[in-house]
Amino acid sequence: MPPRIAEPISVLEASLAEAAGPACPSFKIVVPSTPSSVQVVRRVVRAWTRCHCQLPADQADALLVVLSELCTNAVLHGHTDAFDVRARVPTTGELRLEVDDKTPSVSPTPGSPDTDAESGRGLLLVDALVRELGGTWGFSADGARAWCVLPALEAAR
């Protein structure tokens, strides 16, 4: 196991902070389609929102839950070895995240799982959190890319 850094900011956060100025830069990462990649994506997006977008902790936490659900769906339902995650600020005060598993399919919708079901609530959670944050979400026409757009209420403006 690699040694951990004891400082309150990770090496990734420090690198991101040095790489850009005061603006919130866009990025794209490609990760293996494995369950452990979801945690990697969360760390990268957490660093991005913390260092560049300066989101309040509660807004960033909700965004990470949404992202985790969308990435988990890419891992479970995608049929490729990797998936892409893109993050950008297309307009001032707005954040856009995209998860692309490159697997065209019928666009999923939030389901109604049985009360004893152990899964099937991810998109219900995405829908509730995105609405609570005042955003929108959905899938590309071919169903391969999930996206969400959230107002960055306190983001760097």
Side-chain angles (χ1 to χ4, degrees):
M1 179 179 222
R4 295 193 172 252
I5 299 172
E7 292 81 21
I9 188 166
S10 73
V11 171
L12 175 61
E13 289 170 326
S15 298
L16 285 172
E18 291 173 8
C24 195
S26 300
F27 72 87
K28 174 184 170 184
I29 58 171
V30 179
V31 293
S33 191
T34 61
S36 62
S37 293
V38 176
Q39 184 177 17
V40 171
V41 171
R42 282 178 59 98
R43 286 181 179 168
V44 170
V45 173
R46 180 180 178 273
W48 179 69
T49 60
R50 182 175 170 192
C51 294
H52 296 295
C53 302
Q54 301 172 356
L55 291 181
D58 59 336
Q59 189 178 3
D61 290 346
L63 178 64
L64 292 177
V65 172
V66 168
L67 181 68
S68 293
E69 292 298 332
L70 297 179
C71 288
T72 298
N73 283 349
V75 170
L76 294 176
H77 304 294
H79 299 292
T80 58
D81 293 336
F83 64 93
D84 301 348
V85 176
R86 290 180 212 85
R88 60 191 171 104
V89 179
T91 63
T92 301
E94 181 179 276
L95 299 178
R96 181 176 178 95
L97 291 176
E98 298 176 359
V99 177
D100 189 350
D101 65 17
K102 299 174 203 66
T103 305
S105 64
V106 174
S107 294
T109 58
S112 299
D114 293 334
T115 55
D116 59 345
E118 294 183 13
S119 64
R121 293 176 184 81
L123 293 181
L124 290 171
L125 183 58
V126 167
D127 189 57
L129 286 171
V130 170
R131 275 198 225 183
E132 183 177 307
L133 292 168
T136 58
W137 71 283
F139 291 87
S140 60
D142 68 357
R145 185 175 59 253
W147 56 267
C148 73
V149 176
L150 301 175
L153 302 175
E154 301 296 326
R157 294 178 184 208

